Amino acid sequence: MIDLLGRAGKLDEAEDLVNNMPFGPCTVAWMSLLSACRIHGGVERGSHVADCAFELDPTDSAPFVLLSNIYAAAGRLDDVALVRKAMKDRGAKKVAGISCIEVDNRVHEFIAGDISHSQKDEIYTELRRLSRDMEEAGYVPEIKAVLHDVQEKKKEHVLFYHSEKLAIA
């Protein structure tokens, strides 16, 4: 319910639900609200919510990453650096996201930019074809979602080789 309210932009209602849970909020509840803060640009609320998540699990990298992304999207690069330092100081390590797909009863796993798959040439050929088709249909990459401190062209590259796209291709 917290996730649904958050995605709908009803952050006050979502936070009220978290704060009034009869058994006390868990990390999942705080992370759902923190994700909504990232989607809807709730910087101050995001900072507070991340602190609540840190109290429950100070070594979980997920709230650090989301809070860093919230700050980066708001142009608060000094805060991004502070969050990354705190993450390192607490020993939280970001785990690379993996996308999986099952084909013919075999599970294939991908990480961003993966070139280790035995069918990488065919996958990348298909990905380029799909990309051309999407561009012709009017697709424009949402590069502001890539919050790395890199040039715009590099952001497009990061999105192009995302693990989910590799799995689909």
Side-chain angles (χ1 to χ4, degrees):
M1 186 54 108
I2 296 161
D3 184 55
L4 291 173
L5 289 168
R7 287 175 187 262
K10 298 182 177 198
L11 300 183
D12 289 336
E13 290 178 47
E15 189 168 7
D16 285 344
L17 187 57
V18 171
N19 287 323
N20 293 306
M21 296 172 84
F23 43 82
C26 61
T27 305
V28 173
W30 287 121
M31 290 305 298
S32 294
L33 185 55
L34 188 57
S35 293
C37 292
R38 184 190 60 79
I39 292 167
H40 297 288
V43 178
E44 298 312 316
R45 185 188 317 254
S47 179
H48 166 71
V49 169
D51 286 341
C52 294
F54 295 144
E55 285 181 26
L56 293 175
D57 188 355
T59 61
D60 182 5
S61 67
F64 287 103
V65 172
L66 279 173
L67 183 59
S68 177
N69 289 348
I70 289 168
Y71 286 147
R76 293 173 54 172
L77 300 183
D78 289 343
D79 288 323
V80 170
L82 289 173
V83 170
R84 289 181 180 169
K85 183 182 180 323
M87 184 175 170
K88 183 179 178 184
D89 291 348
R90 292 188 191 184
K93 299 206 184 302
K94 183 176 184 271
V95 179
I98 297 173
S99 296
C100 302
I101 188 168
E102 182 179 338
V103 178
D104 296 329
N105 293 321
R106 183 169 170 229
V107 176
H108 301 266
E109 293 184 348
F110 297 90
I111 60 171
D114 195 349
I115 57 169
S116 65
H117 195 279
S118 63
Q119 294 177 290
K120 71 177 183 307
D121 293 336
E122 295 92 336
I123 291 168
Y124 279 87
T125 298
E126 179 64 7
L127 187 55
R128 285 188 290 276
R129 185 193 68 74
L130 289 169
S131 181
R132 279 191 307 273
D133 289 352
M134 291 185 312
E135 284 178 22
E136 288 173 9
Y139 170 76
V140 177
E142 183 66 50
I143 59 174
K144 72 177 182 180
V146 180
L147 300 172
H148 305 289
D149 188 17
V150 296
Q151 297 173 343
E152 299 301 303
K153 208 62 174 157
K154 178 72 173 169
K155 289 181 181 185
E156 288 182 23
H157 180 81
V158 169
L159 286 174
F160 184 79
Y161 295 105
H162 192 280
S163 62
E164 290 173 348
K165 287 185 177 179
L166 293 174
I168 290 169

